[in-house]
Amino acid sequence: MTPLERALRERIAAEGPLSVETFMEACNAYYYATRDPFGAVGDFTTAPEMSQMFGEMVGAALADCWRRSGAPEYAAYAELGPGRGTLAADALRVLRAGRFSGEVHFVETSPVLRDAQKQAVPDAVWHETIDNLPDRPLLLTANEFLDALPIRQHVAGTERRVSGAAGGLAFDRDGEIVETSPVRDGAVRAIARKLVANGGVALLIDYGHSRSAPGDTLQAVRGHRFMPVLADPGEQDLTSHVNFEAVASSAQEAGAVVTPVIGQGEWLIRLGIEARAQSLSRANPDRASDVQAALERLTGSTQMGELFKVIAIHAPNWPTPGGFA
Ligand code: SAH
């Protein structure tokens, strides 16, 4: 039994079954607080860990938007759940080359990952919540952050819960599942409020669907394989598909402007990732096949190109970032 399972069983014995939301929140808080989960020897690999090109495209899109908004000096780069800080380091290289000299602000709860982020971006400032980000125009990005926030599941209108069972944990009901995520909606509203109040733009990148639909999308990954969701609590990464329709309406409710949701592949290609791949390959011919493989992984329709999606949220008086139309 994992240490977290022991704690959850005690909690269930005292308080009764836990909502899926409480379970997922507890599992991910423990999971991220106790390890760096990324890379070949870890549990999963994210886009910025596959290739520097990903962060460079994010940086180029933000730099262009910042320039078109009048290049405000007091704007800051902000990132939610920056992982190892790789995306920030790659994006900031491009932003700095474009004369952006603003501060860097991270929202991160894991002490282990804060240490890793400090290696990659030593001058960053850390925050516990989105609301604590500074009141400045923000060039904000979040990759695979929203998918880690807890969801609720409902079966026939009743919230699905997790209880103790012989040899493990079990769901209290099965059937057609409808998912909601008040925590995720709240995070998106918090981002949108900041942008509306102070200016700025957010690029939210994640796996998910463009339209709301019933279905069980909660999944567990460990060692690059799917695992049973309730197995080994706290030792595997729990995520769910992001409902981008809900993201868009939460942002609009808070007064922000949203772009259409588009595939990561289409977005990266419109931003010029193919030309970047060619120039990286010409500069390092011995790495050309790695660059080509990363390009295919990030943009290919059977790889990350379509399942992963991008939406931009911006202040009404800020320009729409490139790549969407
Ligand atoms: N963006 C990175 C990491 C994605 S993993 C990448 O693409 O590689 C999810 C990240 O979100 C981790 O850094 C994790 O510690 C952080 N995270 C998860 N839940 C969080 C929460 N509630 N508040 C702040 N950060 C959180």
Side-chain angles (χ1 to χ4, degrees), residues 119-320:
Q119 304 293 312
V121 186
D123 56 352
V125 180
W126 282 265
H127 306 273
E128 287 284 319
T129 67
I130 296 164
D131 288 331
N132 290 344
L133 285 169
D135 287 316
R136 292 164 176 268
L138 297 178
L139 307 174
L140 187 147
T141 182
N143 183 62
E144 291 208 54
F145 169 75
L146 295 174
D147 67 11
L149 299 183
I151 57 164
R152 293 182 184 172
Q153 292 191 325
H154 305 269
V155 177
T158 302
E159 188 161 6
R160 197 179 194 212
R161 299 188 299 177
V162 176
S163 51
L169 299 174
F171 289 112
D172 68 344
R173 62 190 75 240
D174 288 312
E176 187 180 65
I177 288 171
V178 173
E179 296 178 342
T180 61
S181 182
V183 174
R184 189 183 291 152
D185 296 345
V188 173
R189 277 197 304 272
I191 295 166
R193 275 198 307 270
K194 282 277 172 193
L195 299 178
V196 169
N198 310 303
V201 56
L203 296 171
L204 307 181
I205 308 150
D206 229 305
Y207 83 117
H209 40 276
S210 319
R211 293 273 162 265
S212 305
D216 180 3
T217 76
L218 184 59
Q219 67 179 39
V221 166
R222 185 176 189 178
H224 301 267
R225 300 166 68 138
F226 292 112
M227 306 298 279
V229 167
L230 298 181
D232 296 330
E235 305 299 327
Q236 41 187 24
D237 184 47
L238 295 186
T239 60
S240 79
H241 281 226
V242 172
N243 176 352
F244 279 93
E245 187 176 344
V247 169
S249 23
S250 299
Q252 284 169 325
E253 271 162 38
V257 178
V258 299
T259 64
V261 180
I262 69 166
Q264 171 177 298
E266 191 182 358
W267 181 68
L268 290 172
I269 286 168
R270 284 184 183 158
L271 291 174
I273 196 172
E274 289 167 319
R276 181 64 183 134
Q278 274 178 11
S279 84
L280 279 177
S281 298
R282 268 197 303 274
N284 314 277
D286 50 322
R287 284 191 41 223
S289 65
D290 292 348
V291 171
Q292 191 55 40
L295 176 66
E296 180 54 29
R297 247 178 120 180
L298 292 172
T299 63
S301 58
T302 58
Q303 307 220 18
M304 299 179 80
E306 289 183 4
L307 176 60
F308 279 75
K309 297 180 172 65
V310 191
I311 190 171
I313 302 176
H314 62 89
N317 59 345
W318 264 58
T320 301

Side-chain angles (χ1 to χ4, degrees), residues 25 28-29 31-33 35 37-38 44-50 54 79-88 106-114 117 127-130 141-150 183 187 205-206 237 239:
E25 205 278 328
N28 276 346
Y31 176 81
Y32 283 108
R35 75 208 68 211
F38 308 106
F44 61 99
T45 304
T46 57
E49 299 299 330
M50 285 169 202
F54 183 81
E79 191 173 332
L80 314 180
R84 284 179 173 165
T86 309
L87 166 54
F106 288 161
V107 174
E108 174 62 68
T109 42
S110 161
V112 174
L113 291 175
R114 280 191 182 196
Q117 291 155 21
H127 306 273
E128 287 284 319
T129 67
I130 296 164
T141 182
N143 183 62
E144 291 208 54
F145 169 75
L146 295 174
D147 67 11
L149 299 183
V183 174
I205 308 150
D206 229 305
D237 184 47
T239 60

